[in-house]
Amino acid sequence: MYATLEKAGPDGGATEQYRLSQIGGPANLLLRLWAEEPADGGYLVEDDKALTEAGSAPTVASVVTFAAPVSEAVKNAGARADRERIGPAMAGHPGAVRMLSLWEPRDRRQVIVVLATSMESLEEGGRRISELPLLPGEDVALLPGPDHVELFRVVS
């Protein structure tokens, strides 16, 4: 599966889409999911997790960006953290709908999109993740954190 995050444009075969309006800002994005890579490129969906409230209509989204280029070591450390520490801690988190891990191989950029039913759920999820202790063997130098986090309303 592939994804695009864009300002506007025709649907052109997207299987799903979420229209996002930035909270406290001017940005409007369209998150589109595609069965095949779109002609103008996009992100590879490396992970698509249905969370506690799967099937519920999301009302808010967090778009977490890790600026390019993300090294292979940092990418692998982040994948391990998600698989062994963050994912299990977030299992059963109230209000969480879906998490998409997106990878853009050309620029080596990573974006995580979290869809939730409320702002409180996003805030509590962020607090929960930030308080998790590292696993044995995890290197904090390989877990730099995101370059920025943007919050959006899901408007359709």
Side-chain angles (χ1 to χ4, degrees):
M1 179 174 12
Y2 293 86
T4 53
L5 284 167
E6 54 201 71
K7 302 263 182 202
D11 288 350
T15 58
E16 285 181 72
Q17 69 180 25
Y18 298 93
R19 193 169 299 279
L20 309 176
S21 177
Q22 188 176 34
I23 295 172
N28 291 300
L29 292 177
L30 200 52
L31 167 63
R32 292 189 174 128
L33 302 176
W34 309 79
E36 296 182 18
E37 185 174 11
D40 57 351
Y43 294 92
L44 173 64
V45 177
E46 289 198 317
D47 198 8
D48 181 2
K49 288 185 181 123
L51 301 172
T52 304
E53 305 290 332
S56 297
T59 62
V60 293
S62 174
V63 177
V64 180
T65 304
F66 297 83
V70 174
S71 73
E72 196 64 29
V74 168
K75 184 175 184 288
N76 291 337
R80 177 186 179 218
D82 180 52
R83 183 179 60 252
E84 298 177 22
R85 181 169 48 92
I86 297 169
M90 294 305 292
H93 179 65
V97 175
R98 187 176 191 178
M99 185 181 85
L100 298 149
S101 296
L102 311 179
W103 176 248
E104 201 284 307
R106 187 190 63 215
D107 292 332
R108 301 196 56 80
R109 180 176 40 224
Q110 186 173 30
V111 176
I112 308 294
V113 179
V114 179
L115 300 166
T117 60
S118 71
M119 184 59 71
E120 293 77 19
S121 177
L122 281 179
E123 290 171 342
E124 178 56 32
R127 275 192 296 280
R128 185 180 286 193
I129 291 167
S130 69
E131 294 171 356
L132 292 173
L134 293 179
L135 297 170
E138 277 191 300
D139 181 355
V140 71
L142 295 176
L143 299 167
D147 291 286
H148 60 276
V149 177
E150 297 172 290
L151 300 175
F152 293 86
R153 283 184 192 85
V154 178
V155 293
S156 67

